[in-house]
Every structure is written in structure tokens, then in C-alpha cells.
Amino acid sequence: MPGQYPNRIKQLPLFDGRFDAYKLEAKDSTVLFASYPPGTSIPPHSHDTDNHGVITRGELILSMNNQTIRVGVGEWYHVPANVEHSALFEVETDEVEFWFV
């Protein structure tokens, strides 16, 4: 799997979802170390978790609530539970996501 993560992170189980990520489970939350190749598009969807993420390489283009924002390296974003959103990655991107129940 691509991504510039430490070897310890790369030893975590893989996330079984619509993108590549290493999965670290924690009480009442999931932590994902996700990587996206250029051109990755995640169509509109929602989920029952409250998500926070930080971009560690590249850029996220996040569309939510009729707005589109660009989230760069070192910047955090928040997607509330049950809110429809979509994502686009024009460049190779890594991020750490926290999914809270």
C-alpha cells in the first residue's frame, strides 16, 4: 500500500473500505492512516461517525453543505456524523483520520 508512514504504522491491519488505509482500533473510535493516489474521487456519502482528519501530505478537496474547501498539509477538517460529503484528491495524499462513534 502506498503512503509515507513509519514501519510500525505499516504493520497495522488494512482497512476494508473504499480507500487504502492502515487501521488502528481504539475504544469508541477508529484511527485510519489513509493514502490516496492522484485522481482518487470518493462520491457523496454519509456515515454515522463524527470524523476529524489531518492531512500529512498532499491535499484534500472536501465538498459538504454546498461548499468546497481545500485542506492542505497540517490542516484539520471535520465531517459531522450523518452529513453528506464527497472528497477528491488531485495529488498523492496521506492523512490521519479519527472516526468517533
Tab-separated table of all heavy atoms in Angstrom, residues 19-76:
chain	number	residue	atom	x	y	z
A	19	PHE	N	-11.150	3.099	0.230
A	19	PHE	CA	-9.832	3.692	0.043
A	19	PHE	C	-8.816	2.884	0.828
A	19	PHE	O	-9.176	2.044	1.645
A	19	PHE	CB	-9.816	5.173	0.461
A	19	PHE	CG	-10.273	5.403	1.879
A	19	PHE	CD1	-9.376	5.352	2.927
A	19	PHE	CD2	-11.601	5.660	2.148
A	19	PHE	CE1	-9.789	5.560	4.226
A	19	PHE	CE2	-12.025	5.873	3.456
A	19	PHE	CZ	-11.124	5.823	4.489
A	20	ASP	N	-7.522	3.108	0.559
A	20	ASP	CA	-6.453	2.386	1.237
A	20	ASP	C	-6.116	3.049	2.563
A	20	ASP	O	-5.938	4.269	2.615
A	20	ASP	CB	-5.189	2.360	0.373
A	20	ASP	CG	-5.345	1.491	-0.861
A	20	ASP	OD1	-6.164	0.560	-0.822
A	20	ASP	OD2	-4.640	1.750	-1.842
A	21	ALA	N	-6.020	2.262	3.629
A	21	ALA	CA	-5.656	2.807	4.935
A	21	ALA	C	-5.185	1.683	5.845
A	21	ALA	O	-5.603	0.532	5.702
A	21	ALA	CB	-6.850	3.516	5.570
A	22	TYR	N	-4.320	2.045	6.783
A	22	TYR	CA	-3.967	1.169	7.889
A	22	TYR	C	-4.919	1.508	9.018
A	22	TYR	O	-5.226	2.687	9.246
A	22	TYR	CB	-2.523	1.395	8.336
A	22	TYR	CG	-1.523	1.124	7.243
A	22	TYR	CD1	-0.934	2.170	6.544
A	22	TYR	CD2	-1.164	-0.173	6.900
A	22	TYR	CE1	-0.012	1.928	5.531
A	22	TYR	CE2	-0.248	-0.424	5.886
A	22	TYR	CZ	0.323	0.633	5.214
A	22	TYR	OH	1.225	0.394	4.221
A	23	LYS	N	-5.393	0.505	9.758
A	23	LYS	CA	-6.438	0.717	10.755
A	23	LYS	C	-5.924	0.458	12.163
A	23	LYS	O	-5.397	-0.611	12.448
A	23	LYS	CB	-7.612	-0.217	10.443
A	23	LYS	CG	-8.778	-0.079	11.375
A	23	LYS	CD	-9.888	-1.008	10.931
A	23	LYS	CE	-11.052	-0.989	11.892
A	23	LYS	NZ	-12.106	-1.924	11.458
A	24	LEU	N	-6.104	1.440	13.035
A	24	LEU	CA	-5.770	1.323	14.451
A	24	LEU	C	-7.066	1.462	15.228
A	24	LEU	O	-7.693	2.524	15.211
A	24	LEU	CB	-4.777	2.417	14.865
A	24	LEU	CG	-4.435	2.509	16.350
A	24	LEU	CD1	-3.705	1.248	16.806
A	24	LEU	CD2	-3.590	3.742	16.619
A	25	GLU	N	-7.508	0.390	15.868
A	25	GLU	CA	-8.761	0.442	16.612
A	25	GLU	C	-8.513	0.959	18.024
A	25	GLU	O	-7.506	0.656	18.641
A	25	GLU	CB	-9.404	-0.937	16.656
A	25	GLU	CG	-9.870	-1.382	15.280
A	25	GLU	CD	-10.729	-2.630	15.320
A	25	GLU	OE1	-11.557	-2.757	16.244
A	25	GLU	OE2	-10.558	-3.460	14.431
A	26	ALA	N	-9.462	1.765	18.494
A	26	ALA	CA	-9.407	2.317	19.839
A	26	ALA	C	-10.834	2.328	20.392
A	26	ALA	O	-11.798	2.273	19.629
A	26	ALA	CB	-8.826	3.728	19.810
A	27	LYS	N	-10.973	2.416	21.686
A	27	LYS	CA	-12.299	2.400	22.303
A	27	LYS	C	-13.157	3.530	21.753
A	27	LYS	O	-12.763	4.690	21.784
A	27	LYS	CB	-12.160	2.516	23.821
A	27	LYS	CG	-13.471	2.402	24.554
A	27	LYS	CD	-13.226	2.389	26.046
A	27	LYS	CE	-14.476	2.465	26.858
A	27	LYS	NZ	-15.484	1.539	26.654
A	28	ASP	N	-14.325	3.182	21.244
A	28	ASP	CA	-15.308	4.119	20.695
A	28	ASP	C	-14.795	4.952	19.530
A	28	ASP	O	-15.329	6.031	19.246
A	28	ASP	CB	-15.850	5.047	21.788
A	28	ASP	CG	-16.595	4.279	22.870
A	28	ASP	OD1	-17.254	3.271	22.535
A	28	ASP	OD2	-16.503	4.661	24.045
A	29	SER	N	-13.740	4.499	18.869
A	29	SER	CA	-13.233	5.225	17.701
A	29	SER	C	-12.363	4.299	16.853
A	29	SER	O	-11.951	3.239	17.291
A	29	SER	CB	-12.424	6.450	18.121
A	29	SER	OG	-11.254	6.064	18.801
A	30	THR	N	-12.105	4.748	15.638
A	30	THR	CA	-11.184	4.075	14.739
A	30	THR	C	-10.224	5.131	14.221
A	30	THR	O	-10.633	6.249	13.908
A	30	THR	CB	-11.927	3.422	13.560
A	30	THR	OG1	-12.821	2.428	14.079
A	30	THR	CG2	-10.976	2.776	12.589
A	31	VAL	N	-8.953	4.788	14.139
A	31	VAL	CA	-7.942	5.686	13.588
A	31	VAL	C	-7.445	5.062	12.292
A	31	VAL	O	-7.046	3.898	12.276
A	31	VAL	CB	-6.766	5.892	14.567
A	31	VAL	CG1	-5.741	6.837	13.969
A	31	VAL	CG2	-7.272	6.408	15.913
A	32	LEU	N	-7.492	5.833	11.199
A	32	LEU	CA	-7.050	5.349	9.888
A	32	LEU	C	-5.883	6.187	9.382
A	32	LEU	O	-5.924	7.419	9.466
A	32	LEU	CB	-8.194	5.432	8.877
A	32	LEU	CG	-9.435	4.600	9.193
A	32	LEU	CD1	-10.540	4.918	8.203
A	32	LEU	CD2	-9.104	3.123	9.166
A	33	PHE	N	-4.873	5.524	8.865
A	33	PHE	CA	-3.738	6.170	8.214
A	33	PHE	C	-3.961	5.920	6.727
A	33	PHE	O	-3.598	4.873	6.205
A	33	PHE	CB	-2.428	5.574	8.720
A	33	PHE	CG	-2.239	5.765	10.200
A	33	PHE	CD1	-2.777	4.857	11.104
A	33	PHE	CD2	-1.540	6.863	10.677
A	33	PHE	CE1	-2.615	5.036	12.472
A	33	PHE	CE2	-1.373	7.043	12.050
A	33	PHE	CZ	-1.908	6.136	12.938
A	34	ALA	N	-4.596	6.868	6.059
A	34	ALA	CA	-5.090	6.661	4.696
A	34	ALA	C	-4.174	7.284	3.664
A	34	ALA	O	-3.529	8.301	3.922
A	34	ALA	CB	-6.490	7.253	4.567
A	35	SER	N	-4.151	6.666	2.477
A	35	SER	CA	-3.362	7.148	1.343
A	35	SER	C	-4.222	7.112	0.090
A	35	SER	O	-4.977	6.157	-0.121
A	35	SER	CB	-2.127	6.276	1.139
A	35	SER	OG	-1.301	6.327	2.268
A	36	TYR	N	-4.092	8.144	-0.722
A	36	TYR	CA	-4.903	8.270	-1.930
A	36	TYR	C	-4.006	8.607	-3.109
A	36	TYR	O	-3.287	9.608	-3.068
A	36	TYR	CB	-5.942	9.382	-1.770
A	36	TYR	CG	-6.790	9.230	-0.532
A	36	TYR	CD1	-6.405	9.823	0.667
A	36	TYR	CD2	-7.962	8.494	-0.558
A	36	TYR	CE1	-7.178	9.683	1.804
A	36	TYR	CE2	-8.739	8.356	0.575
A	36	TYR	CZ	-8.346	8.961	1.756
A	36	TYR	OH	-9.106	8.814	2.883
A	37	PRO	N	-4.051	7.827	-4.195
A	37	PRO	CA	-3.297	8.196	-5.393
A	37	PRO	C	-3.964	9.386	-6.088
A	37	PRO	O	-5.148	9.652	-5.873
A	37	PRO	CB	-3.347	6.938	-6.260
A	37	PRO	CG	-4.445	6.100	-5.732
A	37	PRO	CD	-4.698	6.529	-4.317
A	38	PRO	N	-3.206	10.095	-6.928
A	38	PRO	CA	-3.789	11.229	-7.653
A	38	PRO	C	-5.023	10.793	-8.444
A	38	PRO	O	-5.052	9.713	-9.022
A	38	PRO	CB	-2.676	11.664	-8.610
A	38	PRO	CG	-1.424	11.097	-8.052
A	38	PRO	CD	-1.816	9.863	-7.299
A	39	GLY	N	-6.038	11.646	-8.424
A	39	GLY	CA	-7.259	11.369	-9.166
A	39	GLY	C	-8.301	10.577	-8.400
A	39	GLY	O	-9.377	10.308	-8.929
A	40	THR	N	-8.015	10.218	-7.156
A	40	THR	CA	-8.998	9.483	-6.358
A	40	THR	C	-10.197	10.372	-6.072
A	40	THR	O	-10.055	11.512	-5.643
A	40	THR	CB	-8.390	9.009	-5.025
A	40	THR	OG1	-7.314	8.129	-5.287
A	40	THR	CG2	-9.426	8.303	-4.162
A	41	SER	N	-11.378	9.824	-6.313
A	41	SER	CA	-12.623	10.536	-6.049
A	41	SER	C	-13.522	9.649	-5.203
A	41	SER	O	-13.748	8.486	-5.539
A	41	SER	CB	-13.310	10.874	-7.376
A	41	SER	OG	-14.556	11.485	-7.142
A	42	ILE	N	-14.008	10.168	-4.099
A	42	ILE	CA	-14.944	9.442	-3.241
A	42	ILE	C	-16.299	10.135	-3.401
A	42	ILE	O	-16.446	11.299	-3.047
A	42	ILE	CB	-14.469	9.427	-1.779
A	42	ILE	CG1	-13.107	8.741	-1.685
A	42	ILE	CG2	-15.502	8.738	-0.894
A	42	ILE	CD1	-12.478	8.776	-0.312
A	43	PRO	N	-17.287	9.432	-3.965
A	43	PRO	CA	-18.575	10.060	-4.260
A	43	PRO	C	-19.346	10.450	-3.000
A	43	PRO	O	-19.002	10.007	-1.890
A	43	PRO	CB	-19.318	8.984	-5.054
A	43	PRO	CG	-18.658	7.701	-4.715
A	43	PRO	CD	-17.246	8.020	-4.343
A	44	PRO	N	-20.386	11.268	-3.156
A	44	PRO	CA	-21.176	11.694	-1.994
A	44	PRO	C	-21.669	10.500	-1.172
A	44	PRO	O	-22.156	9.512	-1.719
A	44	PRO	CB	-22.351	12.456	-2.624
A	44	PRO	CG	-21.826	12.942	-3.934
A	44	PRO	CD	-20.891	11.855	-4.403
A	45	HIS	N	-21.515	10.631	0.137
A	45	HIS	CA	-21.942	9.592	1.067
A	45	HIS	C	-22.031	10.212	2.463
A	45	HIS	O	-21.604	11.348	2.676
A	45	HIS	CB	-20.937	8.426	1.080
A	45	HIS	CG	-19.602	8.803	1.628
A	45	HIS	ND1	-18.683	9.557	0.923
A	45	HIS	CD2	-19.035	8.557	2.835
A	45	HIS	CE1	-17.610	9.742	1.664
A	45	HIS	NE2	-17.797	9.149	2.836
A	46	SER	N	-22.565	9.475	3.395
A	46	SER	CA	-22.572	9.884	4.800
A	46	SER	C	-22.333	8.649	5.647
A	46	SER	O	-22.400	7.525	5.157
A	46	SER	CB	-23.893	10.566	5.176
A	46	SER	OG	-24.952	9.656	5.052
A	47	HIS	N	-22.036	8.849	6.914
A	47	HIS	CA	-21.809	7.742	7.831
A	47	HIS	C	-22.191	8.180	9.227
A	47	HIS	O	-22.383	9.374	9.484
A	47	HIS	CB	-20.361	7.247	7.778
A	47	HIS	CG	-19.376	8.322	7.522
A	47	HIS	ND1	-19.036	9.270	8.450
A	47	HIS	CD2	-18.690	8.632	6.398
A	47	HIS	CE1	-18.160	10.097	7.917
A	47	HIS	NE2	-17.940	9.749	6.679
A	48	ASP	N	-22.298	7.223	10.129
A	48	ASP	CA	-22.770	7.530	11.477
A	48	ASP	C	-21.643	7.867	12.454
A	48	ASP	O	-21.864	7.916	13.658
A	48	ASP	CB	-23.621	6.387	12.017
A	48	ASP	CG	-22.873	5.072	12.091
A	48	ASP	OD1	-21.686	5.027	11.712
A	48	ASP	OD2	-23.480	4.076	12.535
A	49	THR	N	-20.451	8.132	11.949
A	49	THR	CA	-19.335	8.520	12.810
A	49	THR	C	-19.043	10.005	12.641
A	49	THR	O	-19.298	10.595	11.589
A	49	THR	CB	-18.070	7.717	12.483
A	49	THR	OG1	-17.775	7.854	11.084
A	49	THR	CG2	-18.252	6.252	12.832
A	50	ASP	N	-18.505	10.620	13.683
A	50	ASP	CA	-18.063	12.013	13.675
A	50	ASP	C	-16.578	11.989	13.323
A	50	ASP	O	-15.768	11.486	14.092
A	50	ASP	CB	-18.287	12.609	15.070
A	50	ASP	CG	-18.015	14.080	15.124
A	50	ASP	OD1	-18.494	14.817	14.238
A	50	ASP	OD2	-17.321	14.518	16.069
A	51	ASN	N	-16.223	12.501	12.138
A	51	ASN	CA	-14.864	12.334	11.626
A	51	ASN	C	-14.052	13.616	11.713
A	51	ASN	O	-14.535	14.691	11.340
A	51	ASN	CB	-14.888	11.883	10.165
A	51	ASN	CG	-15.471	10.503	10.002
A	51	ASN	OD1	-16.016	9.935	10.940
A	51	ASN	ND2	-15.371	9.959	8.824
A	52	HIS	N	-12.815	13.464	12.174
A	52	HIS	CA	-11.826	14.543	12.181
A	52	HIS	C	-10.592	13.992	11.476
A	52	HIS	O	-10.256	12.828	11.639
A	52	HIS	CB	-11.449	14.942	13.610
A	52	HIS	CG	-12.574	15.560	14.364
A	52	HIS	ND1	-12.707	16.921	14.494
A	52	HIS	CD2	-13.621	15.011	15.009
A	52	HIS	CE1	-13.790	17.176	15.207
A	52	HIS	NE2	-14.357	16.035	15.537
A	53	GLY	N	-9.912	14.816	10.696
A	53	GLY	CA	-8.723	14.350	9.999
A	53	GLY	C	-7.705	15.452	9.829
A	53	GLY	O	-8.036	16.645	9.886
A	54	VAL	N	-6.461	15.037	9.618
A	54	VAL	CA	-5.366	15.979	9.349
A	54	VAL	C	-4.602	15.456	8.139
A	54	VAL	O	-4.307	14.260	8.043
A	54	VAL	CB	-4.447	16.175	10.571
A	54	VAL	CG1	-3.787	14.879	11.007
A	54	VAL	CG2	-3.425	17.273	10.319
A	55	ILE	N	-4.297	16.344	7.213
A	55	ILE	CA	-3.556	15.987	6.014
A	55	ILE	C	-2.067	16.021	6.350
A	55	ILE	O	-1.570	17.013	6.886
A	55	ILE	CB	-3.873	16.966	4.859
A	55	ILE	CG1	-5.378	16.981	4.562
A	55	ILE	CG2	-3.064	16.622	3.611
A	55	ILE	CD1	-5.969	15.657	4.164
A	56	THR	N	-1.358	14.945	6.025
A	56	THR	CA	0.078	14.893	6.310
A	56	THR	C	0.928	15.017	5.051
A	56	THR	O	2.127	15.259	5.132
A	56	THR	CB	0.443	13.583	7.046
A	56	THR	OG1	0.087	12.466	6.233
A	56	THR	CG2	-0.269	13.507	8.386
A	57	ARG	N	0.300	14.850	3.869
A	57	ARG	CA	0.988	15.010	2.589
A	57	ARG	C	-0.077	15.202	1.532
A	57	ARG	O	-1.079	14.488	1.511
A	57	ARG	CB	1.828	13.773	2.282
A	57	ARG	CG	2.578	13.836	0.944
A	57	ARG	CD	3.521	12.657	0.768
A	57	ARG	NE	2.816	11.395	0.709
A	57	ARG	CZ	2.873	10.551	-0.312
A	57	ARG	NH1	3.634	10.802	-1.351
A	57	ARG	NH2	2.204	9.426	-0.281
A	58	GLY	N	0.094	16.171	0.666
A	58	GLY	CA	-0.854	16.386	-0.420
A	58	GLY	C	-1.965	17.341	-0.045
A	58	GLY	O	-1.766	18.291	0.716
A	59	GLU	N	-3.181	17.061	-0.562
A	59	GLU	CA	-4.306	17.972	-0.355
A	59	GLU	C	-5.628	17.232	-0.546
A	59	GLU	O	-5.782	16.418	-1.448
A	59	GLU	CB	-4.227	19.125	-1.353
A	59	GLU	CG	-5.340	20.132	-1.230
A	59	GLU	CD	-5.238	21.242	-2.259
A	59	GLU	OE1	-5.318	20.936	-3.481
A	59	GLU	OE2	-5.094	22.395	-1.853
A	60	LEU	N	-6.594	17.546	0.307
A	60	LEU	CA	-7.958	17.043	0.220
A	60	LEU	C	-8.853	18.157	-0.306
A	60	LEU	O	-8.780	19.292	0.181
A	60	LEU	CB	-8.437	16.609	1.610
A	60	LEU	CG	-9.945	16.500	1.849
A	60	LEU	CD1	-10.572	15.409	0.997
A	60	LEU	CD2	-10.224	16.264	3.325
A	61	ILE	N	-9.691	17.836	-1.282
A	61	ILE	CA	-10.737	18.755	-1.728
A	61	ILE	C	-12.041	18.164	-1.203
A	61	ILE	O	-12.487	17.110	-1.657
A	61	ILE	CB	-10.748	18.905	-3.261
A	61	ILE	CG1	-9.385	19.426	-3.726
A	61	ILE	CG2	-11.869	19.839	-3.697
A	61	ILE	CD1	-9.179	19.363	-5.224
A	62	LEU	N	-12.626	18.824	-0.210
A	62	LEU	CA	-13.783	18.313	0.521
A	62	LEU	C	-15.012	19.141	0.170
A	62	LEU	O	-14.998	20.369	0.293
A	62	LEU	CB	-13.515	18.386	2.030
A	62	LEU	CG	-14.639	17.978	2.968
A	62	LEU	CD1	-14.965	16.494	2.821
A	62	LEU	CD2	-14.254	18.305	4.411
A	63	SER	N	-16.074	18.452	-0.254
A	63	SER	CA	-17.349	19.113	-0.547
A	63	SER	C	-18.385	18.657	0.471
A	63	SER	O	-18.586	17.458	0.685
A	63	SER	CB	-17.821	18.767	-1.957
A	63	SER	OG	-16.920	19.270	-2.914
A	64	MET	N	-19.039	19.670	1.095
A	64	MET	CA	-20.006	19.380	2.146
A	64	MET	C	-20.859	20.635	2.351
A	64	MET	O	-20.330	21.755	2.314
A	64	MET	CB	-19.229	19.011	3.417
A	64	MET	CG	-20.027	18.757	4.639
A	64	MET	SD	-18.995	18.184	6.025
A	64	MET	CE	-17.871	19.552	6.260
A	65	ASN	N	-22.150	20.460	2.566
A	65	ASN	CA	-23.050	21.596	2.825
A	65	ASN	C	-22.973	22.663	1.737
A	65	ASN	O	-22.921	23.862	2.026
A	65	ASN	CB	-22.756	22.217	4.199
A	65	ASN	CG	-23.002	21.247	5.333
A	65	ASN	OD1	-23.903	20.418	5.271
A	65	ASN	ND2	-22.194	21.333	6.368
A	66	ASN	N	-22.949	22.229	0.475
A	66	ASN	CA	-22.896	23.141	-0.679
A	66	ASN	C	-21.651	24.018	-0.703
A	66	ASN	O	-21.670	25.104	-1.287
A	66	ASN	CB	-24.157	24.003	-0.750
A	66	ASN	CG	-25.396	23.168	-0.973
A	66	ASN	OD1	-25.388	22.260	-1.803
A	66	ASN	ND2	-26.450	23.451	-0.229
A	67	GLN	N	-20.578	23.582	-0.063
A	67	GLN	CA	-19.305	24.301	-0.073
A	67	GLN	C	-18.194	23.313	-0.397
A	67	GLN	O	-18.255	22.152	-0.021
A	67	GLN	CB	-19.007	24.953	1.274
A	67	GLN	CG	-19.953	26.050	1.651
A	67	GLN	CD	-19.534	26.701	2.967
A	67	GLN	OE1	-18.830	26.103	3.779
A	67	GLN	NE2	-19.966	27.924	3.184
A	68	THR	N	-17.151	23.810	-1.074
A	68	THR	CA	-15.966	23.005	-1.360
A	68	THR	C	-14.763	23.741	-0.789
A	68	THR	O	-14.593	24.942	-1.030
A	68	THR	CB	-15.793	22.792	-2.872
A	68	THR	OG1	-16.946	22.075	-3.360
A	68	THR	CG2	-14.540	21.991	-3.176
A	69	ILE	N	-13.966	23.021	-0.004
A	69	ILE	CA	-12.761	23.608	0.593
A	69	ILE	C	-11.556	22.747	0.244
A	69	ILE	O	-11.689	21.562	-0.036
A	69	ILE	CB	-12.880	23.766	2.125
A	69	ILE	CG1	-13.063	22.387	2.804
A	69	ILE	CG2	-14.010	24.714	2.490
A	69	ILE	CD1	-12.942	22.419	4.306
A	70	ARG	N	-10.392	23.365	0.266
A	70	ARG	CA	-9.126	22.657	0.085
A	70	ARG	C	-8.439	22.586	1.447
A	70	ARG	O	-8.284	23.605	2.109
A	70	ARG	CB	-8.244	23.363	-0.930
A	70	ARG	CG	-8.790	23.262	-2.341
A	70	ARG	CD	-7.896	23.984	-3.351
A	70	ARG	NE	-8.405	23.812	-4.692
A	70	ARG	CZ	-8.005	22.876	-5.546
A	70	ARG	NH1	-7.071	22.015	-5.198
A	70	ARG	NH2	-8.542	22.788	-6.755
A	71	VAL	N	-8.050	21.376	1.826
A	71	VAL	CA	-7.397	21.139	3.111
A	71	VAL	C	-5.981	20.680	2.815
A	71	VAL	O	-5.781	19.638	2.179
A	71	VAL	CB	-8.164	20.079	3.934
A	71	VAL	CG1	-7.533	19.910	5.309
A	71	VAL	CG2	-9.644	20.427	4.042
A	72	GLY	N	-4.989	21.473	3.249
A	72	GLY	CA	-3.594	21.190	2.947
A	72	GLY	C	-2.843	20.552	4.096
A	72	GLY	O	-3.403	20.273	5.170
A	73	VAL	N	-1.567	20.344	3.885
A	73	VAL	CA	-0.694	19.702	4.879
A	73	VAL	C	-0.752	20.455	6.202
A	73	VAL	O	-0.626	21.680	6.245
A	73	VAL	CB	0.756	19.625	4.354
A	73	VAL	CG1	1.690	19.115	5.439
A	73	VAL	CG2	0.828	18.741	3.119
A	74	GLY	N	-0.969	19.692	7.263
A	74	GLY	CA	-1.027	20.252	8.609
A	74	GLY	C	-2.381	20.822	8.984
A	74	GLY	O	-2.580	21.234	10.126
A	75	GLU	N	-3.315	20.834	8.052
A	75	GLU	CA	-4.639	21.382	8.340
A	75	GLU	C	-5.616	20.268	8.715
A	75	GLU	O	-5.552	19.169	8.179
A	75	GLU	CB	-5.182	22.151	7.130
A	75	GLU	CG	-4.359	23.369	6.806
A	75	GLU	CD	-4.888	24.131	5.602
A	75	GLU	OE1	-5.431	23.508	4.666
A	75	GLU	OE2	-4.745	25.364	5.612
A	76	TRP	N	-6.505	20.587	9.636
A	76	TRP	CA	-7.519	19.659	10.117
A	76	TRP	C	-8.855	19.955	9.449
A	76	TRP	O	-9.133	21.095	9.087
A	76	TRP	CB	-7.698	19.806	11.625
A	76	TRP	CG	-6.572	19.227	12.414
A	76	TRP	CD1	-5.381	19.825	12.723
A	76	TRP	CD2	-6.525	17.931	12.999
A	76	TRP	NE1	-4.608	18.975	13.460
A	76	TRP	CE2	-5.286	17.811	13.652
A	76	TRP	CE3	-7.428	16.863	13.040
A	76	TRP	CZ2	-4.925	16.658	14.337
A	76	TRP	CZ3	-7.064	15.719	13.720
A	76	TRP	CH2	-5.815	15.620	14.363
